[in-house]
Amino acid sequence: MAADHVDHHEHHPHGLAHQFEDMAQQKESVLLGMWSFLITEVLFFSGYFLTYLVYRTQYPVAFAEGSHELDITMGAFNTVVLILSSLTMAMAVHKSHEGSKNGTLGYLIATFILGGVFLCVKYVEYSAKFEHGLVPGLAWHPHGEHSPQLALFFSLYFGMTGMHALHMIIGAGLLIWLLVKTAKGTYTAEYNAPIEVFGLYWHFVDIVWIFLFPLLYLLGRH
Amino acid sequence: MAIAEQDGNASGYAAPETNYINNGYGLKSWLLTKDHKRIAVLYMISISIFFAVGGLFAGLIRLELLTPQGDFSHSDTYNKLFTMHGVVMIFFFLVPSIPATLGNFLVPIMIGAKDLAFPRINLLSWYVYIIGGTLGVIGILAGGVDTGWTFYTPYSSTYSNSNVLIVAFAGFLAGFSSILTGLNFIVTIHTMRAPGMTWFRLPLFIWAHYATSIIMLLGTPVIAITLVLMMLERAFGFGFFDPRLGGDPVLFQHLFWFYSHPAVYIMILPSMGVMSEMIACISRKRVFGYEFVAFSSVAIAILGFLVWGHHMFLSSQSTYAGMVFSVITFLVAVPSAIKTFNWTATMYKGSIVYNTPMYYVMGYLGLFLVGGLTGLFLSNMGLDIHLHDTYFIVAHFHYIMVGGQVMGYLGGMHFWWPKISGKMYPEALGKASAVLVFLGFNLTFFPQFVLGYMGMPRRYHSYPDEFQILNVASTGGASVLALGYLLPGIYLIWSIFKGANAPQNPWGAKGLEWEVADTPPTTFNFESTPVVTEEAYQYGPIEEH
């Protein structure tokens, strides 16, 4: 039997968890972990997208009617807000690579605020739907001859945007945690994987919206 | 496997003073542990409890079916019994059974890592599982659920008066916990392999768990969203599958089986990995056609995603879709057969040792063969119309899921028990229980093939008189089976206190977990990272000590 060993690390770099050999392995693992998680997220949302596809094909008129009930201005505004928040998030990752604590902190706060703006606008939109009786099951006043299928559309609208908003809220919670850690100076130019990994999650949530916006607000609208 | 060893040789083995079991006492040191081995033990205890609960429901089902009249339970109660048997066994026992216990314990050790890539997520997965399990138990105590484990709409979303929401949410959480386990395995296998542990030097157990993890990552989120849609519809009156709004209840079935068929392979692939390890060791030979066995696991995982429609031959699916699903289902037989043939070829001219794991191997091969071949009956569209929703189906999937996964689980539990507990189990009792399980299992489920073929439908609490003899046989078999499952539970626990101390490598097996890791392993598994210089399963003749 061979008798060669791989030497133990004498020094223990800051932020390296015990199960890893070195920072490179840790970073690779953490990134692969997040990408794998995002794959499960894609499949999670795919259930909604498939349901949407099936019913949109079956009931194009009712779905076009549904699109007209949505507020395109607020939707478009929110799209811009989210794209901006992706930019600030990317900048936060960039700054953390540079080891700039204040830069990272600033961009994380900006991301948090933009996420908050998105959720507020969403709240206003949801409230309007409740007022107009467009919430299936909870506040539903029949609308014209396609009323049942319109209920399908709004079930999907609330299901899809609600699940997206839930991801935003979870993201905001994680952001607070990152902000605290950054302020404490946990992250350095060498150890910043949590910020990078969270960035991936945040961009993913944005991309979901980039699909939701045209599917729900724009399609069938002339 | 020639591996760097720290000190000494196999004979005169002195176990280290501190191992993962005695490294810290007290409840807190277990409930907050990040050690994959301790988490595996936590899982082992919890799934054993759920196995007992699910088994209790099975016992009540068999008791009702002892007589043709529905005299033991009302039809409503019976609906709840089979539903809760299914929910508990599938979500809380079979899916986590091997991956969360043996997988959790062995994956890092087999590849030469100190732990899984994400120990905290590993612990989180156990807590999510326990919360889900607790909710499931609350749902059961509050009166149970009667939709069948499949939660088909519109019954589940609209009409059922039982505790659908809480039990479905429990299933959702169990799924979430298995996603976390699968994610951890995938990352660990990709990034944490020891130097020299190339992909084609990996034990086949690892390949099987890799394939299982793919299914957990890709399939489980789909059942999660499907249950969410159903729950939203039930809780708030949203419409997704409601025919009154133009929704399609069959869409639920598509989404449901897109996960739940691949999930069937979550419930067989890990046991295939266990078999490969045990057969190689017990036959003292390298697994025949290693690459083929490795890739057949991946092939099963991939094909598994393309066959969900075979659950829906009678659910308004078009004939052409049915034909495609039928053909792909037949294709699954190819990688499954590759495995079976290769295992048999491995044993051919091997120096076979007839110990308890070997008894389980033989039982497994027989049961898996019957279960697999009857699957081909069912993938035949014409024959399936006759057999659909009969006891033939019930017998078929029990042969795979219980005959396959549970045999693998018990066999693997005996094989690695010395490593896990540091104690030897009593060999004679082990063999006796393996024989009991095999006989009891066949006596329980073989009559169900005949019953199903004769036309007895599943999920009814009464049946025509002429079916009674076979049902009595099945219930009798279930009693033997219960005894066979009870025995290991007793003597394995006994062995912890009274069993002989296990040497480092009682079977003379190859692999890092036997040759390098201590018995029981230390908290970080290895003193220094092992270096692997050989392929897996380089068995020579048995050495004389």
Side-chain angles (χ1 to χ4, degrees):
Chain A
M1 283 204 176
D4 42 354
H5 294 253
V6 170
D7 283 332
H8 251 318
H9 286 270
E10 291 301 315
H11 61 288
H12 191 82
H14 164 70
L16 180 64
H18 75 268
Q19 69 272 25
F20 297 110
E21 295 289 327
D22 51 44
M23 292 304 269
Q25 189 192 31
Q26 169 164 311
K27 187 149 192 172
E28 191 194 352
S29 303
V30 173
L31 286 176
L32 182 62
M34 183 45 95
W35 279 108
S36 308
F37 179 70
L38 294 183
I39 290 172
T40 73
E41 287 278 34
V42 169
L43 277 140
F44 186 73
F45 277 98
S46 73
Y48 272 126
F49 284 109
L50 179 78
T51 311
Y52 175 89
L53 195 69
V54 168
Y55 294 147
R56 164 142 218 124
T57 321
Q58 270 183 315
Y59 311 113
V61 181
F63 272 54
E65 255 180 50
S67 296
H68 281 280
E69 298 280 355
L70 297 180
D71 190 326
I72 195 169
T73 323
M74 289 204 224
F77 175 75
N78 257 350
T79 309
V80 175
V81 167
L82 270 196
I83 292 175
L84 271 179
S85 83
S86 257
L87 177 68
T88 55
M89 190 61 227
M91 286 308 291
V93 173
H94 177 68
K95 287 288 172 195
S96 76
H97 283 195
E98 284 180 354
S100 154
K101 179 179 155 187
N102 289 339
T104 312
L105 210 54
Y107 280 114
L108 284 180
I109 292 172
T111 310
F112 183 80
I113 291 172
L114 288 167
V117 169
F118 177 94
L119 286 172
C120 291
V121 172
K122 208 73 224 153
Y123 174 78
V124 174
E125 274 190 271
Y126 278 1
S127 314
K129 298 294 169 291
F130 271 91
E131 279 167 30
H132 298 153
L134 286 169
V135 189
L138 301 174
W140 184 253
H141 310 303
H143 297 69
E145 55 171 330
H146 297 297
S147 176
Q149 290 79 45
L150 199 61
L152 279 184
F153 175 85
F154 274 99
S155 297
L156 281 165
Y157 168 78
F158 279 103
M160 294 167 104
T161 58
M163 191 54 75
H164 176 261
L166 182 66
H167 279 76
M168 295 279 298
I169 292 168
I170 293 169
L174 292 170
L175 256 176
I176 293 176
W177 178 66
L178 281 182
L179 279 169
V180 172
K181 291 273 224 174
T182 310
K184 278 184 183 167
T186 310
Y187 303 123
T188 61
E190 286 76 37
Y191 173 60
N192 46 40
I195 296 180
E196 186 162 347
V197 159
F198 175 78
L200 289 176
Y201 173 83
W202 192 258
H203 296 317
F204 168 81
V205 177
D206 283 3
I207 288 171
V208 171
W209 179 258
I210 301 297
F211 280 93
L212 289 181
F213 177 61
L215 286 181
L216 294 169
Y217 289 74
L218 299 182
L219 279 189
R221 202 172 183 128
H222 297 291
Chain B
M1 225 181 261
I3 293 146
E5 277 209 38
Q6 287 92 41
D7 42 45
N9 50 31
S11 54
Y13 174 67
E17 297 230 329
T18 319
N19 55 47
Y20 84 98
I21 299 172
N22 62 19
N23 183 15
Y25 293 96
L27 204 56
K28 199 176 151 198
S29 77
W30 282 87
L31 292 182
L32 295 179
T33 182
K34 282 184 267 171
D35 183 350
H36 65 103
K37 297 177 289 299
R38 286 192 164 202
I39 296 169
V41 172
L42 291 176
Y43 259 117
M44 230 171 261
I45 297 166
S46 13
I47 71 164
S48 302
I49 293 169
F50 280 103
F51 184 62
V53 173
L56 181 71
F57 288 128
L60 295 174
I61 291 170
R62 284 320 315 169
L63 203 56
E64 166 62 64
L65 294 178
L66 204 52
T67 56
Q69 304 81 23
D71 42 16
F72 174 68
S73 59
H74 289 291
S75 50
D76 276 344
T77 316
Y78 185 77
N79 291 346
K80 291 179 176 173
L81 286 178
F82 70 69
T83 300
M84 292 183 298
H85 168 67
V87 168
V88 169
M89 284 301 201
I90 288 172
F91 292 115
F92 296 106
F93 174 70
L94 281 168
V95 169
S97 60
I98 296 181
T101 58
L102 293 172
N104 227 335
F105 196 97
L106 293 167
V107 165
I109 307 184
M110 279 184 169
I111 65 171
K114 288 196 221 68
D115 204 319
L116 286 170
F118 308 118
R120 267 187 293 187
I121 288 181
N122 195 18
L123 183 64
L124 177 68
S125 96
W126 182 71
Y127 275 100
V128 172
Y129 168 86
I130 286 297
I131 294 169
T134 312
L135 286 180
V137 169
I138 291 172
I140 289 170
L141 294 179
V145 61
D146 65 349
T147 58
W149 79 276
T150 46
F151 296 109
Y152 270 13
T153 53
Y155 184 67
S156 61
S157 57
T158 312
Y159 301 106
S160 170
N161 291 319
S162 57
N163 301 295
V164 177
L165 276 179
I166 189 167
V167 177
F169 189 59
F172 173 89
L173 288 177
F176 197 57
S177 116
S178 84
I179 290 177
L180 296 177
T181 304
L183 189 147
N184 230 333
F185 285 174
I186 291 226
V187 175
T188 307
I189 295 169
H190 268 281
T191 64
M192 311 271 289
R193 284 169 287 124
M197 182 57 94
T198 59
W199 282 89
F200 289 102
R201 284 178 183 172
L202 288 172
L204 289 163
F205 184 87
I206 301 292
W207 276 97
H209 274 74
Y210 188 77
T212 309
S213 307
I214 292 176
I215 300 176
M216 286 171 162
L217 278 193
L218 298 183
T220 320
V222 179
I223 184 91
I225 189 68
T226 310
L227 291 175
V228 166
L229 290 177
M230 185 272 283
M231 289 188 284
L232 285 176
E233 183 159 334
R234 187 175 172 90
F236 301 118
F238 281 19
F240 296 109
F241 309 113
D242 187 349
R244 289 171 301 186
L245 302 180
D248 190 348
V250 178
L251 180 61
F252 176 90
Q253 296 185 23
H254 279 288
L255 289 167
F256 180 85
W257 288 113
F258 181 83
Y259 161 76
S260 291
H261 194 79
V264 171
Y265 300 117
I266 296 181
M267 301 179 227
I268 187 71
L269 277 169
S271 74
M272 291 171 161
V274 169
M275 288 301 141
S276 296
E277 297 302 311
M278 300 201 309
I279 288 172
C281 170
I282 291 160
S283 315
R284 315 300 306 170
K285 276 176 72 185
R286 179 172 163 80
V287 172
F288 180 80
Y290 169 97
E291 289 85 356
F292 284 89
V293 179
F295 278 118
S296 62
S297 288
V298 180
I300 289 174
I302 294 168
L303 286 173
F305 279 103
L306 306 173
V307 297
W308 78 89
H310 69 213
H311 293 269
M312 302 171 62
F313 285 152
L314 298 179
S315 307
S316 76
Q317 183 175 262
S318 83
T319 314
Y320 297 106
M323 281 161 64
V324 172
F325 282 122
S326 170
V327 168
I328 304 177
T329 307
F330 276 111
L331 285 182
V332 178
V334 176
S336 311
I338 287 176
K339 281 183 187 292
T340 318
F341 288 139
N342 283 20
W343 289 326
T344 320
T346 309
M347 284 153 70
Y348 179 66
K349 290 193 174 171
S351 315
I352 292 172
V353 184
Y354 288 95
N355 54 12
T356 307
M358 185 62 201
Y359 277 46
Y360 277 105
V361 166
M362 291 192 296
Y364 173 92
L365 287 177
L367 300 183
F368 180 65
L369 191 70
V370 174
L373 289 178
T374 50
L376 294 179
F377 292 34
L378 294 166
S379 49
N380 182 316
M381 284 169 76
L383 197 51
D384 185 65
I385 291 173
H386 174 60
L387 299 173
H388 187 85
D389 267 350
T390 66
Y391 261 86
F392 194 91
I393 292 273
V394 176
H396 159 69
F397 69 70
H398 279 89
Y399 262 81
I400 296 289
M401 282 154 44
V402 186
Q405 185 89 331
V406 181
M407 293 296 268
Y409 176 67
L410 285 178
M413 201 51 99
H414 284 85
F415 187 64
W416 281 290
W417 185 253
K419 188 54 71 174
I420 294 169
S421 69
K423 303 285 180 177
M424 299 303 289
Y425 60 85
E427 190 63 44
L429 279 172
K431 286 180 185 166
S433 80
V435 171
L436 277 182
V437 167
F438 183 76
L439 293 180
F441 182 88
N442 279 304
L443 190 55
T444 312
F445 291 105
F446 203 84
Q448 295 185 6
F449 279 126
V450 184
L451 283 169
Y453 193 77
M454 285 159 69
M456 179 169 163
R458 64 193 286 204
R459 296 183 167 180
Y460 284 87
H461 73 144
S462 58
Y463 53 84
D465 292 341
E466 56 264 40
F467 292 149
Q468 188 172 13
I469 291 191
L470 288 168
N471 269 300
V472 169
S474 182
T475 302
S479 322
V480 179
L481 190 57
L483 192 64
Y485 287 147
L486 203 59
L487 260 182
I490 294 169
Y491 66 70
L492 288 182
I493 293 173
W494 171 87
S495 75
I496 294 177
F497 301 102
K498 304 273 181 180
N501 283 337
Q504 184 186 17
N505 189 356
W507 320 119
K510 294 286 177 181
L512 294 174
E513 86 273 27
W514 295 113
E515 293 178 284
V516 182
D518 284 304
T519 295
T522 51
T523 299
F524 296 126
N525 302 337
F526 306 104
E527 250 176 68
S528 60
T529 309
V531 176
V532 182
T533 57
E534 273 183 23
E535 294 183 322
Y537 316 123
Q538 295 299 317
Y539 283 102
I542 302 172
E543 289 167 32
E544 297 293 331
H545 288 301

